[in-house]
Amino acid sequence: GNSVTQMEGPVTLSEEAFLTINCTYTATGYPSLFWYVQYPGEGLQLLLKATKADDKGSNKGFEATYRKETTSFHLEKGSVQVSDSAVYFCALRDTSYDKVIFGPGTSLSVIP
Amino acid sequence: DAEITQSPRHKITETGRQVTLACHQTWNHNNMFWYRQDLGHGLRLIHYSYGVQDTNKGEVSDGYSVSRSNTEDLPLTLESAASSQTSVYFCASSRQGEETQYFGPGTRLLVL
């Protein structure tokens, strides 16, 4: 069945460091891919998405490119800030239904 | 502004009691979802609904039930609470055919 795998956390970075959070997926067909972010004490919110191969989603300085050949959707940011501290979830939307399958989440802490 | 709300935000109950968690959205979304979030598991789908009178089981539905009598609400009932159901519960909604899910702030449930 469909699944999403993310790198294990927690990840701790210094402010202005480069961020990569790896995400790979298993799916039939051509799913849409997402990154959701959960700030402390809040629900999840969509960070970015890509709907087809080679699409790049971007928002708030974060980027991720839909790589069908490697079934990956890695999240990157060139210079993280303390306010980026959160849990990041990679997810895919099953092409047959409106359900979204989430990865386990990666906790990011950015220290000044 | 349209929104999605959950109540209560925090709940402590005893083993064996029936508990109902409320979810209310004002976007007129057809699709609504309940997830639980646990360390090491990310988000797991409990139940979902694609419209009034429609309900479906997710991957961890045992011990939970939902009903959808109108578009705005999808209450989640724990028939007989168990300690294993201690978790954070998130409700989400989406428009039919739209990929983005919108999450509520969550309910933290402790079963003693």
Side-chain angles (χ1 to χ4, degrees):
Chain A
N2 297 342
S3 65
V4 176
T5 303
Q6 289 180 236
M7 62 187 290
E8 295 289 332
V11 175
T12 303
L13 294 173
S14 297
E15 206 165 21
E16 299 183 1
F18 184 85
L19 169 71
T20 299
I21 300 178
N22 290 336
C23 170
T24 57
Y25 67 91
T26 301
T28 55
Y30 302 91
S32 295
L33 302 175
F34 309 85
W35 278 99
Y36 279 81
V37 59
Q38 183 182 29
Y39 297 104
E42 299 182 9
L44 280 71
Q45 55 186 274
L46 180 69
L47 179 60
L48 55 84
K49 69 178 183 181
T51 57
K52 61 183 187 296
D54 299 324
D55 267 3
K56 177 184 284 187
S58 61
N59 186 26
K60 301 182 181 179
F62 291 89
E63 294 182 338
T65 301
Y66 190 145
R67 300 289 189 199
K68 188 161 178 62
E69 63 276 13
T70 55
T71 61
S72 65
F73 193 54
H74 304 320
L75 182 68
E76 296 182 336
K77 187 174 185 182
S79 176
V80 294
Q81 306 299 312
V82 172
S83 56
D84 294 326
S85 298
V87 181
Y88 292 83
F89 292 89
C90 187
L92 68 82
R93 176 172 176 256
D94 189 299
T95 53
S96 303
Y97 306 97
D98 283 319
K99 290 186 291 180
V100 175
I101 297 169
F102 290 88
T106 301
S107 175
L108 170 67
S109 294
V110 180
I111 55 177
Chain B
D1 283 346
E3 60 178 356
I4 181 166
T5 57
Q6 294 183 234
S7 62
R9 294 295 311 278
H10 303 271
K11 175 77 175 177
I12 301 174
T13 191
E14 296 178 342
T15 301
R17 290 189 179 269
Q18 183 180 81
V19 177
T20 296
L21 309 182
C23 175
H24 179 80
Q25 52 94 5
T26 60
W27 285 300
N28 204 35
H29 286 169
N30 287 327
N31 305 331
M32 296 186 72
F33 309 85
W34 274 105
Y35 297 90
R36 59 178 289 175
Q37 183 180 30
D38 304 286
L39 273 176
H41 292 280
L43 271 75
R44 291 182 290 176
L45 184 63
I46 305 172
H47 282 285
Y48 59 100
S49 168
Y50 291 146
V52 176
Q53 303 301 330
D54 175 73
T55 60
N56 306 279
K57 294 181 179 180
E59 60 179 308
V60 289
S61 60
D62 286 351
Y64 303 94
S65 63
V66 293
S67 61
R68 187 87 181 272
S69 59
N70 58 53
T71 301
E72 295 79 17
D73 300 290
L74 187 70
L76 177 71
T77 297
L78 286 66
E79 305 293 344
S80 177
S83 57
S84 60
Q85 294 177 309
T86 292
S87 186
V88 181
Y89 291 86
F90 287 99
C91 179
S93 71
S94 69
R95 193 175 296 122
Q96 186 175 8
E98 183 180 292
E99 298 177 316
T100 302
Q101 291 192 4
Y102 298 86
F103 283 79
T107 294
R108 189 173 295 273
L109 176 67
L110 175 60
V111 182
L112 299 174

